[in-house]
Amino acid sequence: MPLLDRQLVVVTGKGGTGKTSVSAALAVLASRLGKRVLICEMDAKGTLAATFDVGPLPFEPIEVSPGIWAMAMNTEDSLREYLRLFLKIPLIGRLGVLARTFDFVADAAPGVREILSLGKLCYEVRERHYDMVIVDGVATGHVIAQLRAPDAIGELIKVGPVKEQTRWMQDILEDHSRSGVVLVTTPEEMPVLETLDLVGRIRDETNVDIAAVVANRVLPELFGRSEEAVFDALQQPEIVDALRARVGNGVDVVLDGARLAVAMRRGGAAHLEHLRNELPEGTGVVYVPELFSRSTGRRSAELIADALGEELL
Ligand SMILES: Nc1ncnc2c1ncn2[C@@H]1O[C@H](COP(=O)(O)OP(=O)(O)OP(=O)(O)O)[C@@H](O)[C@H]1O
Ligand SMILES: [Mg+2]
Protein backbone atom coordinates (compact mmCIF):
# COMPACT_ATOMS: atom_id res chain seq x y z
CA MET A 1 0.00 0.00 0.00
CA PRO A 2 1.53 3.37 -0.98
CA LEU A 3 2.66 5.38 2.02
CA LEU A 4 0.36 8.32 1.33
CA ASP A 5 -2.70 6.08 1.17
CA ARG A 6 -2.24 4.85 4.72
CA GLN A 7 -4.39 6.20 7.50
CA LEU A 8 -1.84 5.88 10.31
CA VAL A 9 1.86 6.53 9.87
CA VAL A 10 4.23 6.27 12.81
CA VAL A 11 7.51 8.06 12.13
CA THR A 12 10.54 6.99 14.15
CA GLY A 13 14.33 6.98 13.92
CA LYS A 14 17.47 7.79 15.86
CA GLY A 15 17.49 11.16 17.66
CA GLY A 16 18.14 14.12 15.40
CA THR A 17 17.86 12.28 12.10
CA GLY A 18 14.83 14.33 11.01
CA LYS A 19 11.72 12.61 12.41
CA THR A 20 9.91 15.87 13.03
CA SER A 21 10.99 17.38 9.70
CA VAL A 22 9.87 14.30 7.77
CA SER A 23 6.58 14.02 9.70
CA ALA A 24 5.77 17.66 8.97
CA ALA A 25 6.74 17.24 5.31
CA LEU A 26 4.51 14.16 4.98
CA ALA A 27 1.64 16.19 6.42
CA VAL A 28 2.31 18.99 3.94
CA LEU A 29 2.45 16.53 1.06
CA ALA A 30 -0.77 14.77 2.11
CA SER A 31 -2.55 18.10 2.52
CA ARG A 32 -1.46 19.07 -0.99
CA LEU A 33 -3.35 15.98 -2.15
CA GLY A 34 -6.44 17.35 -0.47
CA LYS A 35 -6.26 15.13 2.59
CA ARG A 36 -7.25 16.18 6.10
CA VAL A 37 -4.23 15.36 8.21
CA LEU A 38 -3.67 15.12 11.95
CA ILE A 39 -0.07 15.29 13.07
CA CYS A 40 0.85 14.54 16.66
CA GLU A 41 4.02 15.41 18.50
CA MET A 42 4.78 12.64 20.99
CA ASP A 43 7.86 14.05 22.72
CA ALA A 44 6.74 17.54 23.86
CA LYS A 45 9.93 19.12 22.48
CA GLY A 46 8.01 21.84 20.67
CA THR A 47 9.89 21.30 17.40
CA LEU A 48 6.72 20.45 15.50
CA ALA A 49 5.06 23.68 16.62
CA ALA A 50 8.13 25.61 15.48
CA THR A 51 8.00 23.86 12.10
CA PHE A 52 4.52 25.26 11.53
CA ASP A 53 5.47 28.61 13.07
CA VAL A 54 2.91 28.33 15.87
CA GLY A 55 3.14 28.43 19.69
CA PRO A 56 3.10 25.37 21.96
CA LEU A 57 0.65 22.75 20.73
CA PRO A 58 -2.29 21.72 22.92
CA PHE A 59 -3.81 18.24 23.23
CA GLU A 60 -6.90 19.44 21.33
CA PRO A 61 -5.78 19.61 17.68
CA ILE A 62 -5.51 23.06 16.10
CA GLU A 63 -5.44 23.78 12.39
CA VAL A 64 -1.89 24.95 11.71
CA SER A 65 -2.24 25.16 7.94
CA PRO A 66 -5.15 24.44 5.58
CA GLY A 67 -5.91 20.73 5.97
CA ILE A 68 -3.33 20.12 8.71
CA TRP A 69 -4.27 19.81 12.37
CA ALA A 70 -1.55 19.47 14.98
CA MET A 71 -1.60 18.33 18.59
CA ALA A 72 0.84 17.38 21.33
CA MET A 73 0.38 14.10 23.18
CA ASN A 74 -0.29 14.29 26.87
CA THR A 75 -1.16 11.11 28.74
CA GLU A 76 -3.24 12.85 31.41
CA ASP A 77 -5.53 14.44 28.80
CA SER A 78 -5.58 11.18 26.95
CA LEU A 79 -6.60 9.30 30.11
CA ARG A 80 -9.35 11.84 30.75
CA GLU A 81 -10.66 11.41 27.20
CA TYR A 82 -10.41 7.63 27.48
CA LEU A 83 -12.41 7.56 30.71
CA ARG A 84 -15.08 9.81 29.18
CA LEU A 85 -15.37 8.06 25.83
CA PHE A 86 -14.95 4.43 26.72
CA LEU A 87 -15.83 4.09 30.36
CA LYS A 88 -18.38 6.95 30.31
CA ILE A 89 -16.82 8.66 33.32
CA PRO A 90 -16.86 12.44 32.79
CA LEU A 91 -14.17 14.30 34.71
CA ILE A 92 -14.07 17.98 35.46
CA GLY A 93 -10.89 19.77 36.34
CA ARG A 94 -7.58 18.12 36.96
CA LEU A 95 -7.38 14.44 37.59
CA GLY A 96 -5.58 14.92 40.91
CA VAL A 97 -5.56 11.73 42.96
CA LEU A 98 -6.62 9.68 39.97
CA ALA A 99 -3.69 10.96 37.95
CA ARG A 100 -1.31 9.99 40.74
CA THR A 101 -2.90 6.55 40.91
CA PHE A 102 -2.55 6.40 37.15
CA ASP A 103 1.14 7.27 37.38
CA PHE A 104 1.51 4.49 39.90
CA VAL A 105 -0.26 1.96 37.67
CA ALA A 106 1.48 3.20 34.54
CA ASP A 107 4.88 2.86 36.17
CA ALA A 108 4.09 -0.66 37.32
CA ALA A 109 2.39 -2.06 34.22
CA PRO A 110 4.13 -1.98 30.88
CA GLY A 111 2.15 -0.53 28.03
CA VAL A 112 -0.31 1.63 29.98
CA ARG A 113 1.14 4.98 28.99
CA GLU A 114 1.80 3.77 25.46
CA ILE A 115 -1.70 2.46 24.98
CA LEU A 116 -3.17 5.77 26.06
CA SER A 117 -1.07 7.76 23.63
CA LEU A 118 -1.17 5.49 20.61
CA GLY A 119 -4.75 4.53 21.52
CA LYS A 120 -5.86 8.14 21.16
CA LEU A 121 -4.39 8.25 17.65
CA CYS A 122 -5.87 4.89 16.66
CA TYR A 123 -9.19 6.23 17.90
CA GLU A 124 -8.88 9.20 15.53
CA VAL A 125 -8.22 6.73 12.71
CA ARG A 126 -11.14 4.54 13.69
CA GLU A 127 -13.55 7.48 13.86
CA ARG A 128 -12.24 8.76 10.52
CA HIS A 129 -11.97 12.31 11.82
CA TYR A 130 -8.99 12.68 9.49
CA ASP A 131 -7.83 11.00 6.28
CA MET A 132 -4.35 10.49 7.64
CA VAL A 133 -2.84 10.52 11.13
CA ILE A 134 0.92 11.09 11.33
CA VAL A 135 2.75 10.35 14.56
CA ASP A 136 5.96 12.30 15.02
CA GLY A 137 7.09 9.40 17.06
CA VAL A 138 9.41 8.56 19.84
CA ALA A 139 13.00 7.58 19.09
CA THR A 140 13.98 4.06 18.11
CA GLY A 141 14.49 2.83 21.70
CA HIS A 142 10.84 3.32 22.69
CA VAL A 143 8.82 2.68 19.58
CA ILE A 144 8.67 -1.09 20.05
CA ALA A 145 7.03 -0.64 23.46
CA GLN A 146 4.52 1.67 21.80
CA LEU A 147 3.72 -0.68 18.93
CA ARG A 148 3.53 -3.64 21.29
CA ALA A 149 1.31 -1.84 23.83
CA PRO A 150 -1.96 -3.50 22.74
CA ASP A 151 -0.26 -6.92 23.03
CA ALA A 152 1.19 -6.10 26.44
CA ILE A 153 -2.13 -4.81 27.79
CA GLY A 154 -4.01 -7.63 26.10
CA GLU A 155 -1.85 -10.09 28.01
CA LEU A 156 -2.57 -8.33 31.30
CA ILE A 157 -6.30 -7.85 30.88
CA LYS A 158 -8.41 -10.63 29.53
CA VAL A 159 -11.95 -9.19 29.48
CA GLY A 160 -13.91 -5.93 29.53
CA PRO A 161 -13.77 -2.61 27.68
CA VAL A 162 -9.99 -2.24 27.96
CA LYS A 163 -9.51 -5.66 26.39
CA GLU A 164 -11.94 -4.63 23.67
CA GLN A 165 -9.83 -1.55 23.02
CA THR A 166 -6.61 -3.50 22.64
CA ARG A 167 -8.36 -5.62 20.02
CA TRP A 168 -9.51 -2.82 17.74
CA MET A 169 -6.22 -0.95 18.16
CA GLN A 170 -4.39 -4.08 17.08
CA ASP A 171 -6.71 -4.44 14.10
CA ILE A 172 -5.79 -0.93 12.95
CA LEU A 173 -2.06 -1.11 13.73
CA GLU A 174 -1.53 -4.53 12.19
CA ASP A 175 -3.52 -3.84 9.03
CA HIS A 176 -0.79 -3.22 6.45
CA SER A 177 -3.17 -1.37 4.16
CA ARG A 178 -4.03 1.13 6.90
CA SER A 179 -0.97 1.57 9.11
CA GLY A 180 2.78 1.56 8.79
CA VAL A 181 6.02 2.70 10.35
CA VAL A 182 8.39 5.12 8.61
CA LEU A 183 12.00 4.91 9.76
CA VAL A 184 14.07 8.02 9.26
CA THR A 185 17.82 7.70 8.98
CA THR A 186 20.78 9.69 7.73
CA PRO A 187 23.65 8.34 5.57
CA GLU A 188 25.91 7.79 8.57
CA GLU A 189 27.12 4.67 10.31
CA MET A 190 25.21 4.75 13.61
CA PRO A 191 21.81 5.85 12.26
CA VAL A 192 22.01 3.18 9.54
CA LEU A 193 22.95 0.43 12.03
CA GLU A 194 20.19 1.53 14.41
CA THR A 195 17.68 1.53 11.55
CA LEU A 196 18.61 -1.98 10.46
CA ASP A 197 18.39 -3.17 14.05
CA LEU A 198 14.95 -1.60 14.47
CA VAL A 199 13.70 -3.06 11.19
CA GLY A 200 14.64 -6.51 12.54
CA ARG A 201 12.91 -5.87 15.85
CA ILE A 202 9.72 -4.54 14.27
CA ARG A 203 9.53 -7.63 12.09
CA ASP A 204 10.35 -10.03 14.93
CA GLU A 205 8.35 -8.48 17.73
CA THR A 206 5.32 -6.85 16.08
CA ASN A 207 2.98 -7.41 13.16
CA VAL A 208 3.19 -3.77 12.12
CA ASP A 209 4.29 -3.03 8.57
CA ILE A 210 7.34 -1.00 7.64
CA ALA A 211 5.93 1.47 5.13
CA ALA A 212 9.24 3.06 4.12
CA VAL A 213 12.74 4.01 5.17
CA VAL A 214 13.55 7.66 4.58
CA ALA A 215 17.23 8.38 3.97
CA ASN A 216 17.35 12.03 4.99
CA ARG A 217 20.09 14.61 4.41
CA VAL A 218 21.61 12.81 1.43
CA LEU A 219 24.39 14.90 -0.05
CA PRO A 220 24.14 15.66 -3.75
CA GLU A 221 26.49 14.08 -6.25
CA LEU A 222 28.85 17.04 -6.60
CA PHE A 223 31.08 15.67 -9.31
CA GLY A 224 30.31 13.39 -12.18
CA ARG A 225 33.11 11.49 -13.94
CA SER A 226 34.24 14.44 -16.09
CA GLU A 227 34.23 16.90 -13.17
CA GLU A 228 36.26 14.42 -11.18
CA ALA A 229 38.89 14.42 -13.93
CA VAL A 230 38.97 18.23 -13.77
CA PHE A 231 39.29 18.11 -9.99
CA ASP A 232 42.16 15.59 -10.22
CA ALA A 233 43.95 17.84 -12.73
CA LEU A 234 43.50 20.85 -10.47
CA GLN A 235 45.22 19.03 -7.63
CA GLN A 236 48.47 18.47 -9.58
CA PRO A 237 51.28 20.23 -7.64
CA GLU A 238 52.35 22.45 -10.54
CA ILE A 239 48.77 23.59 -11.13
CA VAL A 240 48.23 24.27 -7.43
CA ASP A 241 51.49 26.29 -7.40
CA ALA A 242 50.35 28.27 -10.42
CA LEU A 243 46.97 28.92 -8.82
CA ARG A 244 48.60 29.97 -5.53
CA ALA A 245 50.82 32.42 -7.37
CA ARG A 246 47.76 33.86 -9.07
CA VAL A 247 45.09 33.95 -6.33
CA GLY A 248 46.93 33.29 -3.06
CA ASN A 249 46.94 30.50 -0.47
CA GLY A 250 43.14 30.48 -0.26
CA VAL A 251 43.32 27.98 -3.11
CA ASP A 252 44.37 25.25 -0.68
CA VAL A 253 41.36 25.89 1.55
CA VAL A 254 39.02 25.73 -1.43
CA LEU A 255 40.55 22.48 -2.66
CA ASP A 256 40.41 21.00 0.86
CA GLY A 257 36.73 21.94 1.05
CA ALA A 258 35.98 20.21 -2.24
CA ARG A 259 38.00 17.14 -1.17
CA LEU A 260 36.05 16.95 2.09
CA ALA A 261 32.71 17.27 0.28
CA VAL A 262 33.64 14.42 -2.05
CA ALA A 263 34.83 12.25 0.85
CA MET A 264 31.63 12.89 2.82
CA ARG A 265 29.49 12.12 -0.15
CA ARG A 266 31.39 8.90 -0.83
CA GLY A 267 31.20 7.86 2.85
CA GLY A 268 27.47 8.58 2.94
CA ALA A 269 26.94 6.65 -0.28
CA ALA A 270 28.70 3.63 1.26
CA HIS A 271 26.41 3.73 4.32
CA LEU A 272 23.38 4.01 2.06
CA GLU A 273 24.53 1.05 0.04
CA HIS A 274 24.92 -0.97 3.23
CA LEU A 275 21.38 0.08 4.22
CA ARG A 276 19.92 -0.95 0.86
CA ASN A 277 21.75 -4.28 0.89
CA GLU A 278 20.70 -5.23 4.40
CA LEU A 279 17.04 -4.15 4.28
CA PRO A 280 14.50 -6.91 3.68
CA GLU A 281 13.41 -7.24 0.06
CA GLY A 282 10.66 -4.90 -0.92
CA THR A 283 11.38 -2.23 1.71
CA GLY A 284 11.10 1.09 -0.07
CA VAL A 285 13.88 3.63 0.52
CA VAL A 286 13.00 7.25 -0.10
CA TYR A 287 15.76 9.84 -0.45
CA VAL A 288 15.60 13.38 0.85
CA PRO A 289 18.51 15.69 0.04
CA GLU A 290 20.40 17.83 2.50
CA LEU A 291 18.84 21.29 2.34
CA PHE A 292 21.53 23.88 2.02
CA SER A 293 19.25 26.88 2.11
CA ARG A 294 18.98 28.64 5.44
CA SER A 295 15.24 28.10 5.43
CA THR A 296 13.64 26.83 8.61
CA GLY A 297 10.16 25.99 9.80
CA ARG A 298 7.37 25.91 7.29
CA ARG A 299 9.65 26.59 4.31
CA SER A 300 11.91 23.62 4.97
CA ALA A 301 8.86 21.37 5.49
CA GLU A 302 7.69 22.49 2.04
CA LEU A 303 11.10 21.73 0.49
CA ILE A 304 11.28 18.28 2.09
CA ALA A 305 7.68 17.67 0.96
CA ASP A 306 8.78 18.52 -2.62
CA ALA A 307 11.58 15.95 -2.37
CA LEU A 308 9.28 13.30 -0.87
CA GLY A 309 6.68 14.07 -3.53
CA GLU A 310 9.15 13.37 -6.32
CA GLU A 311 9.72 9.89 -4.89
CA LEU A 312 6.29 9.02 -3.58
CA LEU A 313 3.88 10.42 -6.16
N1 LIG B 1 17.00 17.36 4.79
C1 LIG B 1 17.55 18.19 5.69
N2 LIG B 1 18.47 19.10 5.31
C2 LIG B 1 19.03 19.94 6.22
N3 LIG B 1 18.72 19.95 7.53
C3 LIG B 1 17.82 19.06 7.96
C4 LIG B 1 17.17 18.14 7.09
N4 LIG B 1 16.31 17.38 7.82
C5 LIG B 1 16.42 17.80 9.09
N5 LIG B 1 17.32 18.81 9.20
C6 LIG B 1 17.70 19.52 10.42
O1 LIG B 1 18.19 18.58 11.36
C7 LIG B 1 17.81 18.93 12.68
C8 LIG B 1 17.06 17.78 13.32
O2 LIG B 1 15.83 17.58 12.60
P1 LIG B 1 14.51 17.13 13.35
O3 LIG B 1 14.21 18.01 14.51
O4 LIG B 1 13.46 16.96 12.32
O5 LIG B 1 15.00 15.70 13.88
P2 LIG B 1 14.31 14.74 14.94
O6 LIG B 1 14.68 13.37 14.55
O7 LIG B 1 12.87 15.07 15.05
O8 LIG B 1 15.07 15.16 16.26
P3 LIG B 1 14.68 14.73 17.76
O9 LIG B 1 15.22 13.33 17.93
O10 LIG B 1 15.41 15.74 18.58
O11 LIG B 1 13.19 14.81 17.87
C9 LIG B 1 16.96 20.19 12.56
O12 LIG B 1 17.77 21.30 12.80
C10 LIG B 1 16.51 20.17 11.12
O13 LIG B 1 16.28 21.48 10.61
MG1 LIG C 1 11.67 15.57 16.74
Side-chain angles (χ1 to χ4, degrees):
M1 174 63 67
L3 176 58
L4 290 165
D5 290 338
R6 309 223 187 188
Q7 290 167 275
L8 178 65
V9 173
V10 178
V11 179
T12 184
K14 186 170 162 50
T17 49
K19 294 180 292 296
T20 302
S21 309
V22 168
S23 302
L26 279 173
V28 168
L29 190 56
S31 75
R32 284 184 194 162
L33 299 173
K35 290 180 191 285
R36 288 165 50 90
V37 188
L38 172 67
I39 180 165
C40 177
E41 171 175 85
M42 297 300 256
D43 63 7
K45 279 201 188 113
T47 328
L48 186 62
T51 304
F52 286 105
D53 309 315
V54 296
L57 292 170
F59 180 71
E60 242 358 276
I62 52 168
E63 192 168 9
V64 290
S65 166
I68 304 178
W69 283 261
M71 64 173 282
M73 185 48 68
N74 169 333
T75 30
E76 187 175 324
D77 285 326
S78 185
L79 174 62
R80 186 198 310 275
E81 189 176 84
Y82 177 76
L83 293 172
R84 183 170 54 78
L85 284 172
F86 292 98
L87 307 183
K88 314 284 181 229
I89 307 173
L91 284 162
I92 302 155
R94 292 188 61 78
L95 290 178
V97 175
L98 187 57
R100 283 196 292 280
T101 314
F102 163 68
D103 277 339
F104 178 75
V105 174
D107 289 343
V112 171
R113 247 175 247 291
E114 288 80 4
I115 205 149
L116 279 170
S117 45
L118 202 56
K120 153 76 178 167
L121 300 165
C122 287
Y123 172 74
E124 297 296 334
V125 171
R126 189 180 83 164
E127 298 300 305
R128 295 186 179 272
H129 291 150
Y130 303 92
D131 300 310
M132 189 177 190
V133 175
I134 298 172
V135 187
D136 173 11
V138 287
T140 41
H142 304 287
V143 74
I144 294 280
Q146 212 166 55
L147 298 175
R148 276 195 39 80
D151 281 340
I153 298 288
E155 280 159 22
L156 281 176
I157 302 167
K158 299 293 179 199
V159 288
V162 174
K163 175 77 189 176
E164 193 44 45
Q165 183 176 17
T166 65
R167 209 166 287 134
W168 67 253
M169 265 184 77
Q170 232 158 356
D171 287 345
I172 292 176
L173 275 173
E174 297 180 356
D175 181 344
H176 294 193
S177 67
R178 297 178 86 183
S179 307
V181 179
V182 167
L183 289 96
V184 182
T185 187
T186 47
E188 297 163 289
E189 186 172 11
M190 286 317 290
V192 164
L193 292 180
E194 221 172 89
T195 301
L196 291 171
D197 183 56
L198 187 62
V199 165
R201 289 195 62 194
I202 291 175
R203 284 162 62 97
D204 292 345
E205 298 173 40
T206 80
N207 294 314
V208 184
D209 189 36
I210 294 166
V213 172
V214 174
N216 187 27
R217 312 194 69 159
V218 175
L219 292 172
E221 186 87 65
L222 287 178
F223 298 158
R225 211 176 282 273
S226 57
E227 289 87 3
E228 235 167 80
V230 173
F231 185 50
D232 283 344
L234 280 174
Q235 295 182 88
Q236 299 303 315
E238 63 279 13
I239 297 192
V240 176
D241 285 344
L243 285 170
R244 266 196 215 111
R246 196 62 198 258
V247 291
N249 288 339
V251 165
D252 297 276
V253 181
V254 171
L255 287 175
D256 281 348
R259 219 171 281 128
L260 178 66
V262 171
M264 280 173 67
R265 156 82 205 171
R266 287 203 182 131
H271 294 306
L272 286 182
E273 194 178 321
H274 180 60
L275 175 72
R276 271 191 308 268
N277 290 342
E278 297 295 319
L279 280 175
E281 283 243 350
T283 315
V285 182
V286 181
Y287 300 90
V288 172
E290 170 79 25
L291 301 176
F292 290 103
S293 62
R294 301 231 171 270
S295 51
T296 53
R298 181 65 207 231
R299 179 78 192 121
S300 66
E302 298 274 357
L303 291 171
I304 295 177
D306 293 344
L308 287 172
E310 278 180 28
E311 306 240 349
L312 293 174
L313 296 179

